[in-house]
Amino acid sequence: MNLYQPYLMRIEEIIDETPDVRTLRLTFKDQQVAEQFAFAAGQFGEYSVFGEGESTFCIASPPTRSEYIECSFKATGRVTKALRRLNVGDTMGFRGPYGNRFPLDDMKGKSVVFIAGGIGLAPVRCVIENVLDLRGEFKDVTIIVGARSVSDLVYKHKLEEWGKRDDVRLVACVDPGGQTPDWTGEVGFVPSVVEKAAPSPDDCYAVICGPPVMIKYTMPVLTKLGFPDERIYTTLENRMKCGCGKCGRCNIGSVYVCKDGPVFTAAEIKQLPPEF
Ligand code: FES
């Protein structure tokens, strides 16, 4: 099969998460492909609109819910704008899964703290739901989620669901000024909210994704709390095109984000060339 030949997908559902973030729930049109398809939390795909091109997003739904895959995106360019014009029942393309994965097996028996800002919750959500679907195999689960404003919080229905669970500690925050009169969560920037929440680093992995500035200021907080760089994981997106190590578009020095990543530890990120 041609490496770049996409699977045909049917749009089953469209969810508007925020004024500018949309989620598509997709199923494979070919039943045999659907049955054989497998992926791991952290992997990504190339999503296409015929005649327009492809765009790279993580798979936001967990591998434990294999009847469909979901992707979430902002309409920022030609392909994402075209994606926004599609309707339920329409056909689009998907290639993947590509890239490495979060170390779920290593995390088993340990606690996990998830930290996400804005649409950075999409890749983190995949791991969160993967962990929650196997909840008995993990210790404490803490989820810290931030956005600029209440209306910018993605997956509000998920946040509500996680917030109701007594085996999950959920801390949601919005930037100062982004709160509404009925907002009951925290008001503050993610790094200071993480510091205040102070998750214990004992036997614990951290998974973090969000805007670069959020990651930049949250990493030192995790270090201060006692998380070693080897147990802090993040995921990068870097000008991907082919998704599978062929085009040379995604490299940072000698590292190919599409093949060696997109999941990296903080220790690995510190080894990347300074331009990153
Ligand atoms: S996206 Fe083509 S080599 Fe990584």
Side-chain angles (χ1 to χ4, degrees):
M1 179 178 161
N2 175 349
L3 207 57
Y4 299 108
Q5 173 91 38
Y7 298 122
L8 297 181
M9 311 297 290
R10 180 181 191 274
I11 300 179
E12 297 294 339
E13 200 178 331
I14 295 175
I15 305 154
D16 281 320
E17 307 286 355
T18 74
D20 61 355
V21 175
R22 175 168 281 188
T23 296
L24 302 178
R25 177 174 289 194
L26 311 171
T27 53
F28 291 90
K29 293 188 94 163
D30 183 329
Q31 196 48 38
Q32 206 181 339
V33 173
E35 280 159 21
Q36 284 165 4
F37 182 77
F39 72 100
Q43 292 193 289
F44 67 93
E46 295 292 334
Y47 300 76
S48 50
V49 181
F50 303 116
E52 298 289 350
E54 293 184 317
S55 206
T56 309
F57 320 117
C58 68
I59 303 174
S61 52
T64 36
R65 304 179 195 183
S66 57
E67 326 72 75
Y68 56 83
I69 59 170
E70 288 185 359
C71 64
S72 298
F73 63 93
K74 255 185 202 174
T76 50
R78 178 185 153 118
V79 179
T80 45
K81 282 182 186 151
L83 273 175
R84 257 197 103 92
R85 290 195 292 272
L86 298 179
N87 295 305
V88 169
D90 284 351
T91 300
M92 56 178 279
F94 168 83
R95 290 194 287 124
Y98 298 124
N100 66 353
R101 53 188 62 195
F102 286 102
L104 257 287
D105 287 338
D106 297 342
M107 291 173 171
K108 285 183 181 164
K110 312 270 194 310
S111 297
V112 193
V113 51
F114 299 99
I115 302 167
I119 198 172
L121 182 55
V124 179
R125 176 201 146 192
C126 177
V127 207
I128 292 175
E129 290 192 314
N130 198 158
V131 165
L132 294 182
D133 286 346
L134 308 168
R135 184 64 187 91
E137 300 185 42
F138 298 86
K139 283 161 78 177
D140 298 344
V141 173
T142 304
I143 304 170
I144 302 174
V145 171
R148 269 182 318 182
S149 69
V150 175
S151 75
D152 287 315
L153 279 166
V154 295
Y155 305 135
K156 290 187 185 67
H157 49 299
K158 302 279 177 193
L159 300 181
E160 206 178 305
E161 184 188 312
W162 301 335
K164 283 189 192 142
R165 294 179 65 133
D166 53 14
D167 58 356
V168 170
R169 179 184 179 205
L170 174 72
V171 181
C173 67
V174 294
D175 291 355
Q179 68 271 40
T180 50
D182 57 350
W183 174 245
T184 53
E186 299 276 336
V187 175
F189 295 105
V190 170
S192 51
V193 171
V194 172
E195 189 158 14
K196 190 172 154 209
S200 165
D202 296 339
D203 239 8
C204 186
Y205 280 81
V207 174
I208 176 169
C209 188
V213 66
M214 185 209 98
I215 295 185
K216 181 174 170 199
Y217 289 105
T218 306
M219 290 282 199
V221 174
L222 289 173
T223 304
K224 198 168 140 194
L225 289 170
F227 285 84
D229 285 349
E230 294 72 24
R231 275 196 271 119
I232 302 174
Y233 281 82
T234 190
T235 171
L236 302 179
E237 240 184 51
N238 202 41
R239 305 181 304 267
M240 307 238 215
K241 189 155 191 263
C242 70
C244 48
K246 304 274 179 215
C247 73
R249 277 276 293 268
C250 67
N251 67 303
I252 305 171
S254 60
V255 171
Y256 280 67
V257 175
C258 69
K259 232 169 33 131
D260 304 316
V263 175
F264 294 95
T265 63
E268 288 165 338
I269 290 209
K270 284 184 182 163
Q271 299 300 316
L272 295 177
E275 80 264 23
F276 176 68

